[in-house]
Each structure stands twice: as structure tokens, then as C-alpha cells.
Amino acid sequence: MKENRPVIGITMGDAAGVGPEIIVKALASDGFLGEAAPLVIGDARRLALAAKACRLDLAIRQVSSVGEAQFSARRVNVVDIACIPEDLPWGRVSAQAGDGAFQFIERAVYLAMSGDIDAICTAPLNKEALHKAGHDFPGHTELLAHLSHTDEVSMMLTAPGLRVIHVTTHLGLVDAVHSITPERVYRTIRRGHDLLTAAGADQPRIAVCGVNPHAGEHGLFGNREEERQIAPGVQKARDEGIDAVGPLPADTVFGKARQGGFDLVVAQYHDQGHIPVKLLGLQNGVNVTVGLPFVRTSVDHGTAFDIAGRGIADERPLLAAYREAVALAASRTQQIASTS
């Protein structure tokens, strides 16, 4: 029987990291069920070990489908992919944990594409472990795009008062600059605009960063990347009625956005967008993959191997990512209903 509430699939991430801990701690939080139903995709034995490390009394129940799940307080419904050895050490890079993280995501994508779950919320994986297991992806974003047969997606980070979407992500700086094209800039603006309007924003205001100091200052800095690679993409978005401005100097635009001047900032490369968001606090940051055929959110931190297995990891980032997934899933459902 399909839940009336959105069902949010929570993937366990790297089993040697803090993913299992933050999941069980989040599920033990008061009011976590609320307007949605959490379904974990992971290894049930590892979750039980995490609950023990956190001194939590939780009922961890294996289910084979959403229909078998019973959503109630202090109960963890888990689609069990029993692939993690019981003696896997915490806090170490492991091919077994990397492969497990891949399998959890693979199952979650299947459930999302088949309509069994309404969104995916991911605990962190470890890129080195993923590669050791033979899965050559830079991270979750690219893996999700591959598994869902999506040609191009964008990474959006959100924090209180700030949303940032990226033109490029996991590339070296030189490669990132070379990868910026007018069409890619335009598509990123369009994806961000469409997500915000679907979430209820009326004509969102979008600021687009330059790539050089002072946005190149009319060719004074750089090789006119702003004029050749960025400005035409901004203009194409404006021609379609999108309220986008730029390229603007990145050293001032994030502050203006925080003060309410913009609803979204388009960053050109990874650190340009990540640093402002992370300065606002990792407990508040949420990663949203924009352009997938389903909703996906994530914590904006890594596996924290240095504290894994000690029961002290902070679950607040996962709670923030979960709530964002709930809100976006509800918006997506309303949008589909209004167009059908």
C-alpha cells in the first residue's frame, strides 16, 4: 500500500564513515516522521552497530518493499543490502564500503525511477573507496546522473539565506575554466530558475558570477572569459524572460544575495560556490542535484572518518537535507498534478 505521505529514501553512504550514525540519530529525533516517511537503503547490521555506538534503542526492521514498511517512532525501515562485513573497521578507506555505497545508490535510483519513493536523501560516500571498488565516478552527482541516464545535472548548495548553483563542479580549476561555455551557463541558469519556480518562487532573481577578479573588468584581468564564455549565456536566459544578471564580481555577489538581493547565485566552479555556503556552517548546508528525473538532496559534508564509530557525529545536516527533500518532493508532486 502506497503511503499518502512522500516516501524519502535515505542511502547509508560509506559504511566506514558517519553515515550510519547520523541516520540512526536522525531517525531517533522527535518529530522526524512528520509529513514524510523515511525508508533507509543500506545494510541493516551496520545500522544496528551504529545504533549501539550511539546508545539508541531503535527497532531496525528489514523490508523488501515500501509496502512492507511500518512507519512509526523509533523504528528504522531498511531495504537491506547485506554487503558490509560485520568486522569492517570504522574510519578506514575500504573497497567493500565503496561498493556498498554504490549498491545503496543503485537501489535507491531504481526505487525512485519506478515511483516507489518520492525523493533520495544521501549520507556521504568516500570517493577513494568508490574508486577502489571499481566505480570510477567523481562523486554522488555524477553517479546519480549515470544511473538515471541523465545527460547533464547541476549541483546546488543551500544554506539559510543563500542558494548557489554551479556551472562546473569536480574539475581542476584550469579544466573548469575551459569547460565553461555560453550554453552550459545558460542551461545552469535555466535549471536553477525552473527549480525555484517549481518550489513557488515568483520570477526568481539570479546573479551570475564571473570567473576572474572583478569579473574581468572589461578584459583587464583574464582572457575575456566573461565576455566570450559567460555573458552570452546570461543574455540567452534574459531573452527567455529569466531575471538573470551578470557576470558579476564573485567577491561581493554572495553578500548581496545574503542580504536579499538575489534568490540564487550561479557559481562558475567548485570552490567559488562551496566556500560561501560552508562558511555559513556545515550543519545548515544542503546539496541538491538539479536536473535529475527525481528529487535528490544530501548533506554537505564528507564521511568524517576521524570520528566515525564513536557515536558523536552531528545529525543536524542530515535533518536539514531530509527536510529539503520533503519540501522539494511536495513541490514536484504539486507541479505534476497541476500539469496533468
Side-chain angles (χ1 to χ4, degrees):
M1 178 178 174
K2 184 72 168 68
E3 271 281 318
N4 292 326
R5 298 169 293 176
V7 178
I8 311 299
I10 305 174
T11 57
M12 200 177 79
D14 191 295
V18 296
E21 295 171 61
I22 60 176
I23 288 172
V24 295
K25 290 175 82 172
L27 286 168
S29 301
D30 291 337
F32 189 77
L33 289 174
E35 298 178 357
L39 179 72
V40 181
I41 299 99
D43 185 292
R45 292 177 303 182
R46 197 64 172 182
L47 291 166
L49 285 174
K52 183 177 180 181
C54 297
R55 296 183 175 87
L56 293 173
D57 182 18
L58 293 173
I60 296 175
R61 298 289 182 257
Q62 300 174 28
V63 299
S64 59
S65 67
V66 179
E68 290 182 9
Q70 296 178 12
F71 299 101
S72 58
R74 309 196 73 78
R75 179 188 177 103
V76 179
N77 294 286
V78 54
V79 175
D80 185 31
I81 302 174
C83 59
I84 304 301
E86 289 190 72
D87 61 351
L88 181 82
W90 297 99
R92 295 183 190 174
V93 174
S94 159
Q96 291 166 309
D99 187 58
F102 176 87
Q103 290 189 56
F104 306 150
I105 286 293
E106 186 177 45
R107 180 69 63 84
V109 169
Y110 171 80
L111 292 172
M113 298 288 280
S114 62
D116 290 320
I117 61 177
D118 299 290
I120 298 173
C121 178
T122 60
L125 55 71
N126 182 277
K127 297 176 180 62
E128 185 181 352
L130 192 68
H131 291 176
K132 275 194 169 188
H135 305 296
D136 193 17
F137 297 93
H140 266 127
T141 303
E142 296 81 4
L143 174 55
L144 287 159
H146 169 77
L147 291 173
S148 63
H149 308 291
T150 305
D151 291 334
E152 186 178 76
V153 296
S154 296
M155 177 187 292
M156 178 186 289
L157 302 182
T158 71
L162 184 63
R163 296 186 188 91
V164 182
I165 193 168
H166 296 69
V167 176
T168 68
T169 49
H170 295 119
L171 293 171
L173 184 55
V174 172
D175 293 334
V177 173
H178 289 160
S179 297
I180 298 167
T181 66
E183 278 298 314
R184 194 165 183 173
V185 170
Y186 160 74
R187 292 193 300 269
T188 306
I189 296 170
R190 166 56 71 182
R191 275 192 286 270
H193 172 272
D194 290 350
L195 178 72
L196 293 186
T197 53
D202 183 21
Q203 193 65 358
R205 299 157 298 170
I206 301 174
V208 182
C209 291
V211 73
N212 291 298
H214 302 182
E217 207 162 302
H218 305 292
L220 184 61
F221 305 113
N223 294 303
R224 296 190 176 275
E225 287 88 355
E226 281 75 17
E227 296 174 26
R228 295 183 291 104
Q229 296 168 244
I230 301 173
V234 179
Q235 187 58 52
K236 181 174 180 179
R238 290 184 61 83
D239 290 343
E240 295 183 2
I242 296 174
D243 186 3
V245 295
L248 301 174
D251 59 355
T252 57
V253 73
F254 295 100
K256 292 178 181 177
R258 277 276 289 164
Q259 293 166 5
F262 300 106
D263 300 298
L264 177 66
V265 178
V266 177
Q268 298 300 327
Y269 56 90
H270 184 280
D271 284 10
Q272 187 182 63
H274 276 59
I275 291 172
V277 172
K278 292 191 175 183
L279 279 171
L280 296 175
L282 287 176
Q283 71 273 18
N284 297 315
V286 176
N287 182 337
V288 181
T289 306
V290 187
L292 293 170
F294 47 81
V295 170
R296 180 262 174 161
T297 68
S298 176
V299 295
D300 188 28
H301 63 72
T303 48
F305 279 167
D306 57 324
I307 63 169
R310 294 164 57 189
I312 62 173
D314 187 350
E315 73 276 16
R316 288 178 295 173
L318 183 65
L319 287 168
Y322 179 82
R323 290 171 182 137
E324 185 77 5
V326 173
L328 291 174
S331 297
R332 185 181 182 89
T333 299
Q334 291 173 359
Q335 185 183 34
I336 292 171
S338 65
T339 58
S340 61

